[in-house]
């Protein structure tokens, strides 16, 4: 949650006078919306440095040593003075380690190790496999050239060069190209020598023509899930911003996967590359090249051999940390809005959901529960006794509750003000500092604020105490961490040793609402149809009533450019001191402008003198580590659940993520798919958007379609902004009905979701996948209007307004076919795998892959617990040869860590289904039903473990070749056989 459009300028205008002056260099260096192509590279912000990378000659090898693990240690010496955007570092070390059979680690760092490196307690480094830590057993090979030093990485299996820093193989570009509709001087790439300076690192690698690049996020890419390989500038600097397109935003994940089509063997080969660096950075893609430009740190690369896309995702997750297994209740439907102004408002929403029959698993509250938006203090309309009673009511109905906690902590207004959390932190000295040692004071929702210093060893104590005190009233089941980029509504600190807070010129923002937002989806015109958002007004469609019916422009893709605590244990041996911390010589393309814009300034300091400059991109992750520890302390043995906005590589092992402050448009509904795919690649699979949109107003048609789409994302929450029209799914009858239908399907599939997430936590396999992860075809590489849940469920939503059908791709490789989830009818792909399917409003395309066996819940109920207690069902879709297989992993859905787990395997073949059981979890709920699709001749009888099934338990539908057997009491702890004749 963040500022809505109508409050932005009101809130920020008092602070503009306090913003630090922007230098001439900054203005020249930023993209300024050039209308013609230019030849000027990025200009240095500091006149000491030239900004001319063409003068840099790189490094030569001074010494090479073999390591005891079979790797290399190479010493490099600077060839000639460079000083493009920083002070040259004369000697480097290159460490090459073959860590596993599929992972190669290449780390280029300064010999004195004065550059910042991400600590182990923030991102634990992956362990080497003792049997594979040598060059002979690794699928990847490291080669190098001595003078100048250049290296390349080859996959042995197909001799493909995956990463190649040899300048002769990399094109240079003297002319800029368009990014976001304007020519960008960041796309001028005149030279590709290795550059390693204290505030500027540059390294380039060759790419094949038409490279298929995925990742490099967090981003909403205009090109879709597949990145624009011809004109991309991806900036890594976390910031609070409402879901922009092709700009830096909340998270930092400098990882990408590249996919290549091998025509010789008709195979898609993939590999992955991860740069572990927390400093601000730009990554530029132009035809034939990827270039890294970081303003600090080191080049700490991990290479993953793949070769399949699923293997790349798995290898990456294993390197940065496998995702946490999630509590089963978290897969239910979540509801929130900014604007539930009291406990009674919230209670009424819960009651209306139940009256409408729409399953609600988790009720949330936005910042309305806080007194003056101050964390851990209760608003007068959320009196502790009533608040506690409400949450007890939810728990008595098997429902759950999550409140928001923002990142900044309110500062005391005056001497009579009382705020225990601030005072406790002040007492233990855990708030971030100005360079002069005073507390750094920004401004967020509570007005003046301080910011937790997560590197301080006492911060965990303050944080856990605050949550423990809160939990005495609010028995929360999870926590929502927002604004943790971190966000600040001012540029710089409002106070320091020379300016007392009472003398500051900063005026806290005025959050008095101005008017309700008028934004609706593009074709809804409130001046014609009113503010209801209804799909029809007096029998007339409301969309396009000004004479136009706009299409979803996000469906148009172009991939070519226009031609013209973990606890802090010790202080590091060396704390880097940055000479140009506020305006580094190389200005990364931060779309907010200065690095300090709307966040904590890079000169703010952490424990031991560590500067925000180096760790800004880790701030949210550090908060998530601390909160995870807190949740384990408060609810030992239970799976922690938190949803956070700002993330860094590897934090999927602790948190879930939502896709931020999106907009109520069809374009953003479509863009949610790429976001979910992106974070499944990043190893943070529990992810989803604000369903129906956060900013602006939704309408009936959009919310109908979106509620159904999000039911098939891992994280499923409806959330919108203050004063927008209500968008709870009971507001419109059609949305209510569509939501109930989709949620029932979701709840039936919960054992499948739990199985996929169990596999993700064991091996890193992504639960949600693009089609090309399962079906090797170059024609699938750009598809992000459909997606797969695991290998067996294909989701095809309607993403255009005023549409009642959609074209989808239904792969038929190796005889695969698809069966409709709702009707069990087979999709006709006899003429083409591109099929038009009818999906009137209230329906979404969901299809099951032939050859699949899915363990389900037998009867979806109002809550996840009630659904679980209904018992299990089995869905079997036989392939053309009468075969199907599947598996399931079952536990109690809440214990942490998972010690008791049972694994079931199902095989259908030769007119029987057999199941085997392994594990130690006692599955109490019985198998109630079995549905078999693909039996085109009605069986005469069924037997379960040799005992004949009563004929009145069996229903046969010849139109879809389906048999359903009800009334079973199968024990899933035992192996069993179901036969038919």
């Amino acid at each position: 949650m963040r500022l809505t459009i109508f409050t932005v300028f009101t809130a920020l205008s008092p602070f503009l006078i306090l913003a630090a002056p922007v230098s001439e260099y900054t203005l020249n260096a930023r993209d300024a919306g050039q209308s013609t192509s230019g030849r000027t590279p990025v200009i240095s912000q500091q006149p000491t440095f030239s900004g001319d990378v063409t003068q840099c000659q790189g490094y030569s090898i001074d010494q090479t040593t073999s390591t005891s693990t079979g790797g290399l240690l190479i010493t490099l010496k600077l060839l000639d003075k460079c000083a493009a955007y920083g002070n040259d570092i004369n000697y480097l070390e290159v460490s090459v380690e073959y860590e596993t059979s599929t992972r190669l680690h290449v780390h280029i760092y300064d010999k004195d190790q004065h550059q910042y490196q991400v600590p182990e307690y923030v991102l634990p480094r992956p362990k080497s496999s003792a049997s594979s830590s040598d060059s002979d057993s690794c699928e990847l090979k490291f080669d190098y050239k001595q003078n100048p030093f250049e290296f390349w990485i080859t996959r042995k299996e197909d001799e493909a060069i995956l990463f190649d820093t040899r300048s002769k193989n990399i094109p240079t570009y003297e002319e800029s190209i368009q990014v976001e509709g304007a020519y960008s001087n960041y796309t001028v790439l005149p030279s590709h020598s290795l550059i390693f300076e204290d505030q500027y690192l540059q390294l380039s690698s060759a790419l094949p023509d038409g490279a298929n690049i995925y990742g490099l996020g967090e981003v909403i890419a205009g090109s879709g899930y597949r990145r624009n390989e011809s004109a991309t500038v991806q900036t890594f600097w976390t910031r609070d911003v409402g879901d922009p397109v092709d700009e830096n935003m909340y998270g930092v994940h400098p990882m990408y996967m590249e996919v290549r089509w091998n025509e010789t063997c008709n195979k898609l080969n993939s590999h992955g590359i991860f740069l572990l660096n927390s400093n601000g950075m730009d990554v530029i893609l132009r035809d034939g090249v990827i270039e890294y430009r970081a303003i600090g740190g080191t080049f700490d690369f991990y290479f993953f051999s793949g070769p399949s896309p699923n293997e790349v995702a798995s290898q990456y997750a294993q390197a940065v940390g496998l995702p946490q297994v999630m509590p089963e209740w978290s897969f239910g439907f979540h509801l929130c809005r900014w604007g539930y102004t009291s406990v009674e408002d919230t209670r009424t929403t819960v009651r209306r959901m139940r009256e409408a029959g729409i399953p609600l698993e988790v009720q949330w509250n936005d910042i309305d529960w806080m007194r003056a938006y101050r964390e851990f203090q209760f608003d007068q309309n959320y009196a502790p006794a009533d608040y506690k009673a409400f949450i007890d009511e939810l728990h008595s109905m098997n429902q759950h509750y999550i409140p928001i906690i923002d990142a900044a902590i309110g500062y005391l207004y005056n001497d009579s003000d009382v705020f225990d959390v601030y005072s406790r932190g002040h007492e233990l000295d855990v708030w971030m500092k100005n360079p002069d040692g005073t507390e750094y004071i920004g401004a967020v929702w509570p007005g003046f604020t301080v910011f937790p210093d997560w590197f301080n060893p006492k911060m965990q104590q303050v944080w856990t105490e605050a949550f423990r005190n809160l939990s005495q009233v609010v028995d929360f089941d999870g926590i929502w961490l927002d604004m943790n980029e971190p966000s600040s509504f001012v540029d710089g600190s409002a106070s320091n040793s020379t300016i007392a807070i009472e003398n500051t010129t900063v005026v806290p923002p005025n959050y008095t609402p101005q008017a309700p937002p008028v934004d609706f989806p593009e074709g809804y015109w409130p001046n014609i149809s009113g503010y209801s958002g209804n799909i029809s007004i007096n029998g007339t469609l409301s969309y396009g009533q000004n004479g136009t019916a706009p299409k979803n422009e996000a469906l148009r893709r172009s991939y070519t450019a226009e031609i013209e605590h973990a606890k802090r244990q010790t202080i590091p041996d060396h704390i880097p001191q940055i000479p140009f911390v506020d305006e580094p010589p190389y200005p990364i393309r931060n779309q907010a402008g200065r690095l300090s814009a709307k966040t904590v300034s890079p000169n703010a300091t952490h424990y031991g003198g560590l500067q925000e400059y180096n760790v800004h991109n880790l701030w949210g992750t550090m908060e998530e580590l601390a909160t995870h520890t807190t949740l384990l302390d408060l609810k030992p043995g239970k799976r922690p659940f938190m949803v956070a906005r700002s993330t860094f590589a590897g934090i999927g092992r602790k948190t879930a993520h939502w896709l931020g402050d999106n907009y109520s448009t069809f374009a953003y509904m479509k863009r949610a798919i790429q976001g979910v795919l992106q974070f499944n690649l990043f190893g943070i699979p529990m992810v989803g958007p604000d369903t129906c949109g956060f900013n602006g107003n939704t309408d009936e048609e959009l919310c109908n379609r979106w509620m159904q789409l999000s039911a098939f994302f891992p994280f499923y929450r409806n959330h919108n902004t203050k004063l927008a029209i209500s968008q709870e799914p009971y507001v419109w009858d059609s949305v209510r009905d569509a939501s109930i239908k989709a949620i029932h399907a979701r709840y039936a599939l919960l054992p499948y979701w739990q199985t996929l997430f169990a596999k993700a936590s064991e091996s890193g396999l992504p639960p949600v996948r693009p089609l090309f992860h399962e079906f090797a075809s170059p024609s699938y590489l750009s598809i992000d209007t459909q997606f797969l849940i695991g290998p067996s469920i294909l989701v095809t939503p309607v993403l255009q307004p005023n549409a009642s059908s959609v074209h989808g791709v239904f792969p038929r490789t190796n005889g695969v076919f698809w069966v409709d989830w709702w009707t069990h009818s087979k999709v006709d792909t006899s003429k083409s795998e591109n099929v038009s399917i009818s999906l009137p409003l209230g329906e979404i395309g969901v299809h099951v892959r032939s050859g699949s066996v899915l363990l389900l819940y037998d009867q979806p109920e109002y809550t996840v617990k009630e659904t679980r207690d209904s018992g299990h069902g089995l869905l079997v879709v036989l392939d053309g040869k009468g075969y199907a297989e599947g598996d399931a992993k079952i536990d109690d859905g809440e214990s942490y860590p998972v010690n008791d787990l049972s694994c079931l395997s199902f095989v259908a073949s030769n007119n029987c289904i057999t199941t085997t059981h392994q594990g130690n979890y006692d599955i109490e709920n019985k198998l109630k039903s079995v549905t078999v699709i693909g039996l085109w001749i009605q069986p005469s009888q069924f037997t379960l473990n040799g005992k004949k099934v009563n004929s009145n338990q069996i229903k046969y539908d010849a139109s879809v070749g389906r048999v359903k057997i009800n009334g079973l009491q199968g024990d899933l702890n035992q192996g069993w056989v179901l036969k038919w004749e």
Side-chain angles (χ1 to χ4, degrees), residues 722-738:
K722 195 171 187 174
L723 295 183
I725 64 170
S726 295
Q727 62 183 42
E728 293 87 357
Y730 54 68
V731 170
W732 299 280
D733 289 349
S734 76
V735 179
R736 175 200 63 202
D737 296 344

Side-chain angles (χ1 to χ4, degrees), residues 55-62 75-84 86-92 147-149 193-197:
Q55 300 302 308
C56 303
Q57 304 301 309
Y59 291 78
S60 64
I61 291 181
D62 193 50
T75 302
L76 304 181
K77 182 178 180 181
L78 184 68
L79 284 171
D80 199 1
K81 181 180 178 181
C82 177
N87 296 303
D88 296 326
I89 295 177
N90 293 321
Y91 289 95
L92 306 179
N147 190 2
F149 169 74
S193 296
L194 169 63
I195 302 174
F196 205 114
E197 300 166 350

Side-chain angles (χ1 to χ4, degrees), residues 35-66:
S35 59
T36 59
S37 181
R39 302 172 64 90
T40 304
V42 178
I43 298 172
S44 173
Q45 293 191 121
Q46 301 297 336
T48 306
F49 305 107
S50 68
D52 184 1
V53 298
T54 63
Q55 300 302 308
C56 303
Q57 304 301 309
Y59 291 78
S60 64
I61 291 181
D62 193 50
Q63 184 178 356
T64 302
T65 306
S66 297

Side-chain angles (χ1 to χ4, degrees), residues 6-186:
F6 62 87
T7 62
V8 169
F9 296 106
T10 302
L12 295 186
S13 57
F15 298 129
L16 296 182
I17 58 172
L18 225 103
V22 179
S23 73
E24 179 184 355
Y25 292 102
T26 303
L27 294 173
N28 287 339
R30 295 278 180 262
D31 287 341
Q34 298 98 322
S35 59
T36 59
S37 181
R39 302 172 64 90
T40 304
V42 178
I43 298 172
S44 173
Q45 293 191 121
Q46 301 297 336
T48 306
F49 305 107
S50 68
D52 184 1
V53 298
T54 63
Q55 300 302 308
C56 303
Q57 304 301 309
Y59 291 78
S60 64
I61 291 181
D62 193 50
Q63 184 178 356
T64 302
T65 306
S66 297
T67 66
S68 59
T69 57
L72 291 172
L73 185 63
I74 304 171
T75 302
L76 304 181
K77 182 178 180 181
L78 184 68
L79 284 171
D80 199 1
K81 181 180 178 181
C82 177
Y85 297 103
N87 296 303
D88 296 326
I89 295 177
N90 293 321
Y91 289 95
L92 306 179
E93 300 277 13
V94 182
S95 169
V96 181
E97 292 293 339
Y98 298 91
E99 294 188 339
T100 72
S101 61
T102 59
R103 185 176 72 237
L104 173 63
H105 183 195
V106 178
H107 189 188
I108 306 174
Y109 56 94
D110 55 310
K111 190 171 184 179
D112 292 333
Q113 297 195 47
H114 286 179
Q115 294 286 101
Y116 184 75
Q117 298 184 37
V118 177
E120 282 268 355
Y121 60 84
V122 178
L123 182 61
R125 303 303 192 266
K127 305 303 181 185
S128 298
S129 169
S131 60
S132 304
S133 56
D134 64 78
S135 59
D136 292 336
S137 57
C138 186
E139 287 297 315
L140 298 172
K141 182 174 65 169
F142 176 89
D143 288 301
Y144 61 92
K145 175 174 167 282
Q146 292 209 359
N147 190 2
F149 169 74
E150 295 171 329
F151 70 94
W152 59 101
I153 309 296
T154 306
R155 182 170 48 216
K156 296 176 184 176
E157 178 185 23
D158 55 359
E159 291 299 315
I161 297 176
L162 310 182
F163 197 80
D164 187 356
T165 71
R166 290 172 290 185
S167 297
K168 68 176 184 179
N169 296 333
I170 309 174
T172 58
Y173 290 94
E174 303 290 340
E175 301 283 344
S176 64
I177 201 169
Q178 284 190 350
V179 175
E180 296 181 69
Y183 288 92
S184 169
N185 55 345
Y186 285 80

